Amino acid sequence: MSASRPLPRSLDPLPGESLPGFVLRLAHRLEITPQHVLRLTSLTVGARQIAVPGYQAVHLPKAAAAAFGRATRLSPAEVNGLCLSPFAYRYRPYQQHLGRVDPSERAHWAAPAGWASHRLRRYCPQCLAPDGTTVQQRHGGAWRRLWHLPVSFACLAHQRMLETTCPHCEKPVNQNLGSHLIARPALGLLHPAQCRNPAADTGHPAWQEACARRLDTPVPPTTVPADQLDCQRHLHALLTEPDPDARSIGQHVKALTYFDDLYTATVLLRPAPAAGADPAPRERRMRGDCRLPQDPGDAAKVLTTAHQLLAADAAQAETMIRELLTAARWSPHRWQAVLNSNHNSSPTLSRLIREADSLPRPQPKPRKPQPPIPPSHHGAFTWHHIPQYLPEEWLHYFDAPAGTHEALRRAVPVHLVKMIAGGSVQDCAERLGVPFGTAAWAMGNARRRLADADALDALEAGLQKLADHLDAQTCLVDYHRRRQALVTWSLSEADWRRLSENLPERTGRRFDDAVRRDTAAVLIWTDITQSHSHQAYVVHRARAAALPARSPLLQSLTETRYQRRCGRAWELRPIAEQLDAYARDLATAIDRPCN
């Protein structure tokens, strides 16, 4: 069936229905999977027509909207009514999808990502339940557009807090949604109100059966306080009514400006460090300063408090906001968020921010210098003999589950450098030649995974065993020397021609010869330095030349790693022995003779 050809049957959108909800109901009526509906209505993208990006829930491009309307027999207004883009004229975070923002103003026009989401993670069980009509008895109620918005936390029709988890599997609804329009769209014939989460926690989510418990099953509602209901009613009116009445700090403002002020108020109302205190510990949570809580109950408290602040008497509101602005200046990240929002704030709030910004900037107390961390192990090897990525043959010293091995290969080198050389994590990262953030994340990730597997003791015991093994060696590889020798190395064309002589020619190759040469260079570099491929010079060069997601080299490396891990034939496998021999010869030329 052609993508532009009308489907044999369609549905009328329910009031307030979202695009993902409409696709689920249409798939249920046609008795096919949502993935099939998405393909027939031209919502899939990519060469294989599998990916369905979630941004389409916000706005459909003109061509995609026309094709979707032809297939579903919906008018352009009905198609647009399924998307979130109509809210963009009153709710600034969605304006990026309409192309109405000048790139030079991107830092000032929108709140952080937590305020603009395409994900459908909240629902009202009573709204999903049939209302008695024939069509809803068959295909269920509407997954509503307003549930996408982070400022929606309650259902006004049933005066209850929105739910976020399945009552049966107790997992967040649409848990495997990611950046897609619909969670697990290739699942079989599920009712639109059935839970699409995996029924078990083992294996790949795409291969697991669904929980399939109905989300429209009556559950005890969470009572919403009257002040929170009033706040939700006001916010929904600003989003949906033709001519809403919006007031902020005693002034009439547009709905768009009111939501900008609401965002600034929520930033100001976050708990701030005490005056004179060092703000650095709190800055580790800098992203949380500007994001709404994901839990509807917590979001309701934050939004209601901000709403009441803006709705207070003008003089009282100005006094409270001045105090909040003074406290926020102790948090550099939060204050920067306030300054960015000032470009779109109401005149009164903008004036208060400018006044606060003109005051002398508070200075935190100077930190006391920390004494250097001494090494905990004194042996024959040094940090020069430690690679960035733990060799696979060293893993047997760690009595840990196989699921933690990848995390250990990234984290153990940092721990070894800290044992033998001392210093902070940043010092260890500089010695290894990896970014500080990468090293810190690797250590934390390994500890979390080992803790989940109840194998934290295996890390300390394995480190000691490995250190004893390295002490006993008489000839150690100087990995630091190898990394320095190959810091700007790439495979020459002459060497590549010699290595690829036995590479069979095939038609329909995905990557050209230059990409295959760089892929071979990365394989050789990682074999010599025992480092992760992300640190290779040719990878950094490819990233600088193109967006990482569009770099052919990164795509080739991803496919090669996957094929080798699964034992499948990979493109350079016919010359694997030649690559290994080249790597051995180059390593021998770099290494100093063992004395």
Side-chain angles (χ1 to χ4, degrees):
M1 185 180 293
S2 173
S4 60
R5 182 179 176 182
L7 296 172
R9 288 170 289 176
S10 187
L11 287 170
D12 290 329
L14 297 177
E17 187 171 25
S18 66
L19 180 61
F22 178 81
V23 171
L24 289 174
R25 290 197 314 118
L26 183 57
H28 188 256
R29 185 183 184 191
L30 296 175
E31 298 183 352
I32 57 179
T33 65
Q35 181 72 43
H36 197 184
V37 172
L38 293 168
R39 187 178 295 113
L40 294 175
T41 55
S42 302
L43 292 186
T44 53
V45 298
R48 299 175 63 189
Q49 293 295 299
I50 293 179
V52 187
Y55 65 78
Q56 295 184 127
V58 181
H59 176 66
L60 284 177
K62 187 175 181 180
F68 183 82
R70 285 194 301 270
T72 57
R73 300 186 179 91
L74 299 183
S75 66
E78 289 175 320
V79 174
N80 188 53
L82 294 171
C83 300
L84 302 175
S85 52
F87 294 138
Y89 299 95
R90 302 182 181 190
Y91 189 73
R92 197 178 301 275
Y94 287 132
Q95 289 191 0
Q96 59 173 324
H97 298 279
L98 302 184
R100 301 178 62 221
V101 180
D102 190 321
S104 62
E105 297 294 325
R106 286 185 184 273
H108 313 304
W109 58 263
W115 283 70
S117 176
H118 69 269
R119 296 175 175 87
L120 196 53
R121 297 285 176 85
R122 300 175 181 178
Y123 71 97
C124 171
Q126 291 170 266
C127 289
L128 291 180
D131 63 354
T133 60
T134 302
V135 66
Q136 291 202 27
Q137 288 291 347
R138 294 177 179 174
H139 312 299
W143 286 86
R144 300 187 181 278
R145 289 188 305 161
L146 285 172
W147 297 344
H148 286 269
L149 274 67
V151 295
S152 289
F153 53 83
C155 175
L156 297 178
H158 302 106
Q159 297 191 357
R160 60 176 296 159
M161 200 70 72
L162 296 179
E163 302 291 335
T164 58
T165 59
C166 169
H168 177 65
C169 66
E170 298 182 348
K171 299 176 183 177
V173 293
N174 298 322
Q175 185 182 28
N176 298 95
L177 182 61
S179 60
H180 303 289
L181 184 68
I182 294 175
R184 307 173 74 202
L187 283 177
L189 304 179
L190 292 179
H191 189 275
Q194 284 183 287
C195 176
R196 309 183 70 83
N197 288 335
D201 292 328
T202 57
H204 194 281
W207 305 331
Q208 298 173 14
E209 294 183 359
C211 167
R213 182 60 63 94
R214 293 286 289 261
L215 299 177
D216 55 1
T217 303
V219 295
T222 303
T223 305
V224 186
D227 58 341
Q228 294 181 7
L229 275 178
D230 290 340
C231 173
Q232 186 69 96
R233 192 174 292 109
H234 179 69
L235 297 181
H236 281 187
L238 294 180
L239 290 166
T240 58
E241 290 186 2
D243 189 17
D245 180 25
R247 295 180 62 87
S248 177
I249 319 179
Q251 288 185 326
H252 287 280
V253 295
K254 296 180 179 179
L256 188 68
T257 305
Y258 178 85
F259 281 108
D260 294 332
D261 285 4
L262 186 72
Y263 161 67
T264 305
T266 59
V267 174
L268 292 175
L269 288 166
R270 291 282 179 159
D278 185 356
R282 298 193 61 86
E283 287 308 303
R284 297 191 185 100
R285 298 190 296 109
M286 59 174 65
R287 290 185 67 183
D289 284 345
C290 305
R291 291 175 177 264
L292 280 176
Q294 295 185 359
D295 180 73
D298 295 338
K301 296 176 183 177
V302 173
L303 290 170
T304 301
T305 306
H307 166 67
Q308 291 172 346
L309 174 63
L310 298 179
D313 177 75
Q316 180 185 3
E318 288 191 23
T319 302
M320 296 173 63
I321 289 175
R322 283 194 179 95
E323 296 175 355
L324 293 170
L325 288 170
T326 302
R329 286 173 60 80
W330 288 97
S331 174
H333 174 81
R334 185 180 310 178
W335 187 246
Q336 187 60 50
V338 171
L339 293 179
N340 289 344
S341 67
N342 187 33
H343 293 261
N344 302 308
S345 300
S346 62
T348 302
L349 183 56
S350 181
R351 172 176 56 81
L352 295 175
I353 294 174
R354 289 196 304 271
E355 291 176 358
D357 193 43
S358 64
L359 299 175
R361 193 171 299 276
Q363 297 296 326
K365 291 182 178 179
R367 284 189 177 185
K368 295 181 180 179
Q370 297 294 325
I373 302 174
S376 60
H377 181 86
H378 300 277
F381 72 99
T382 68
W383 62 268
H384 288 252
H385 303 121
I386 301 173
Q388 292 180 353
Y389 195 58
L390 194 72
E392 193 169 357
E393 57 268 21
W394 290 3
L395 281 172
H396 72 274
Y397 293 105
F398 298 87
D399 186 16
T404 63
H405 285 180
E406 179 63 24
L408 285 172
R409 296 187 71 180
R410 294 172 180 263
V412 167
V414 186
H415 284 286
L416 282 174
V417 173
K418 196 170 184 179
M419 284 178 61
I420 199 67
S424 64
V425 176
Q426 186 167 0
D427 296 332
C428 298
E430 290 176 357
R431 292 186 176 106
L432 281 175
V434 298
F436 164 67
T438 301
W441 173 86
M443 297 177 71
N445 182 54
R447 287 196 172 275
R448 284 191 298 271
R449 291 184 178 276
L450 289 170
D452 292 341
D454 197 19
L456 267 178
D457 294 339
L459 178 60
E460 297 299 331
L463 285 170
Q464 190 59 51
K465 292 178 184 177
L466 181 55
D468 294 340
H469 164 74
L470 294 176
D471 285 339
Q473 301 301 306
T474 58
C475 184
L476 291 169
V477 176
D478 190 341
Y479 288 105
H480 174 71
R481 178 180 175 85
R482 289 185 176 186
R483 291 194 296 268
Q484 292 300 312
L486 301 178
V487 66
T488 58
W489 175 82
S490 60
L491 190 61
S492 66
E493 293 188 12
D495 288 346
W496 170 243
R497 283 196 298 269
R498 179 171 55 84
L499 290 171
S500 60
E501 286 179 353
N502 298 325
L503 191 63
E505 290 293 336
R506 292 204 312 250
T507 58
R509 290 186 183 273
R510 288 199 60 194
F511 305 107
D512 59 23
D513 195 64
V515 174
R516 294 200 299 275
R517 185 186 70 185
D518 285 347
T519 303
V522 173
L523 296 178
I524 294 170
W525 183 87
T526 54
D527 189 20
I528 295 174
T529 63
Q530 289 298 309
S531 302
H532 199 280
S533 60
H534 290 171
Q535 306 300 328
Y537 167 72
V538 292
V539 173
H540 288 297
R541 185 178 63 187
R543 283 179 169 170
L547 292 174
R550 298 178 183 176
S551 171
L553 174 59
L554 295 183
Q555 296 177 16
S556 173
L557 289 173
T558 300
E559 291 186 8
T560 301
R561 281 195 297 267
Y562 174 77
Q563 291 162 353
R564 296 178 72 181
R565 186 169 63 246
C566 297
R568 299 180 180 179
W570 44 291
E571 191 169 11
L572 299 181
R573 184 175 182 178
I575 59 171
E577 294 183 1
Q578 291 91 320
L579 296 178
D580 291 341
Y582 185 94
R584 287 193 300 269
D585 293 343
L586 184 56
T588 303
I590 296 172
D591 292 341
R592 293 173 179 172
C594 290
N595 296 324

